[in-house]
Amino acid sequence: MRNKPITIFQANVAHARPAHLIALQLAFQHNFDLICIQEPWISREYHRKFTCSHPGYDTHIALDSWDEDNRPRAATYARKGAGLQTEQLRPLGQQGDLVVTISNGITVYNVYNANDRHNAAALLACQRAPKQKTVILGDFNMHHRRWEPQLVGSPTNGAAKFIRWLDSGHLTLLSNSGDATHNRGHTLDLAFATPDLLIWGASAMIENSLHTTSDHSTLTITIPLRERQRVHGAGKLMTGLIEEPVFRERLQLYPLPPCTGLATEDEIDRE
């Protein structure tokens, strides 16, 4: 049974075939388990349903019929032979801008949020927010001070609603707030995780050495499959076993800090 963390390579390749192929090969060379691509290259012969692939990965796209108005803008790749058991889910039906997979119990939402009638963030915000073992990542094309504190001007329409949805599931930003992910300086590529994954030690960062040549930075996300080992204390104090003379001696050698800020018995009771 696999215990090592799941690693994810996330990048918007701006419909460019060279950038898409570079992303797949970089991820393969660096042993990433999942690749989450936004704005993938696809053939203009839509009936062929052809996009970039890699022999080391299975391809997941949540759209069966492609055309000019409804084509894939998100694709997820799961590594073969890495001890992953990956299944594609379609909680929102056929959706070109959203791919949902579950790998060894970890659900990953790969999102491309466009500022047009295909708005994946608005679609997500109409659903119940996930509560556990979930990562939501991608290119959100949203400006807001939650993840771009230096933002000048108004937030993107719909950002406040999306944040309320995130907060309803206690989803927390994994990527660094304020770090530009686009060559024009904005923070567009984001990763969020449920509280349990934060406790387990989930993390995300921009990795400049894995740049795909597109106008977006590459994010790498690491998701442990189990909680970090805790350092346990000495255990519960067994008052019946205390030797009073020794206990008093220890108190004299290591006095307790004074109790401050509690002025009355009522305050102590409330505390």
Side-chain angles (χ1 to χ4, degrees):
M1 181 178 180
R2 175 182 167 133
N3 290 319
K4 67 178 183 179
I6 291 176
T7 54
I8 306 173
F9 182 110
Q10 182 263 311
N12 181 316
V13 297
H15 304 298
R17 189 175 189 180
H20 194 160
L21 292 171
I22 287 170
L24 297 180
Q25 186 60 24
L26 281 174
F28 179 74
Q29 290 175 345
H30 289 82
N31 297 311
F32 281 89
D33 297 307
L34 298 175
I35 310 171
C36 292
I37 298 294
Q38 298 84 46
E39 294 195 290
W41 175 85
I42 62 171
S43 169
R44 293 289 180 178
E45 298 178 70
Y46 298 115
H47 68 280
R48 296 179 61 200
K49 297 192 293 186
F50 182 69
T51 185
C52 295
S53 60
H54 192 284
Y57 292 88
D58 292 317
T59 306
H60 298 279
I61 291 173
L63 195 61
D64 295 331
S65 180
W66 305 6
D67 57 44
E68 178 66 33
D69 294 326
N70 198 24
R71 61 193 188 276
R73 294 191 287 190
T76 295
Y77 299 81
R79 193 176 185 96
K80 300 176 182 177
L84 289 182
Q85 296 178 345
T86 299
E87 177 186 359
Q88 183 174 337
L89 309 176
R90 293 192 179 185
L92 303 174
Q94 292 202 41
Q95 173 58 239
D97 296 346
L98 178 66
V99 180
V100 184
T101 54
I102 182 167
S103 299
N104 295 38
I106 305 298
T107 303
V108 177
Y109 286 69
N110 175 12
V111 179
Y112 176 71
N113 185 62
N115 292 318
D116 57 22
R117 63 186 179 88
H118 300 285
N119 193 303
L123 189 62
L124 283 174
C126 294
Q127 313 300 311
R128 179 175 295 180
K131 302 292 186 181
Q132 60 183 1
K133 293 186 179 180
T134 299
V135 180
I136 298 174
L137 56 82
D139 176 9
F140 287 85
N141 278 314
M142 279 186 175
H143 305 304
H144 196 279
R145 292 180 182 85
R146 171 74 66 92
W147 45 79
E148 191 175 346
Q150 70 273 25
L151 178 66
V152 176
S154 300
T156 302
N157 290 335
K161 182 179 180 180
F162 181 63
I163 286 174
R164 288 194 297 271
W165 180 79
L166 291 170
D167 291 345
S168 71
H170 305 289
L171 288 146
T172 302
L173 183 68
L174 279 182
S175 44
N176 290 332
S177 176
D179 285 357
T181 65
H182 190 268
N183 61 8
R184 294 183 182 178
H186 288 293
T187 307
L188 304 178
D189 301 85
L190 308 167
F192 304 90
T194 47
D196 52 352
L197 298 187
L198 290 176
I199 293 172
W200 291 6
S203 62
M205 63 181 294
I206 294 173
E207 188 52 74
N208 292 324
S209 65
L210 299 177
H211 197 273
T212 66
T213 71
S214 79
D215 54 353
H216 286 254
S217 300
T218 297
L219 284 184
T220 62
I221 300 95
T222 302
I223 310 296
L225 290 178
R226 58 184 178 180
E227 188 174 357
R228 288 174 174 172
Q229 185 175 1
R230 295 183 179 182
V231 178
H232 295 282
K236 184 178 180 180
L237 178 64
M238 305 297 289
T239 57
L241 301 178
I242 292 175
E243 297 182 22
E244 186 173 344
V246 177
F247 181 62
R248 290 183 180 276
E249 179 183 355
R250 293 293 185 268
L251 282 179
Q252 290 176 356
L253 291 174
Y254 308 102
L256 296 174
C259 181
T260 60
L262 300 176
T264 67
E265 290 184 3
D266 289 340
E267 290 179 342
I268 293 174
D269 290 337
R270 288 197 301 270
E271 193 70 14

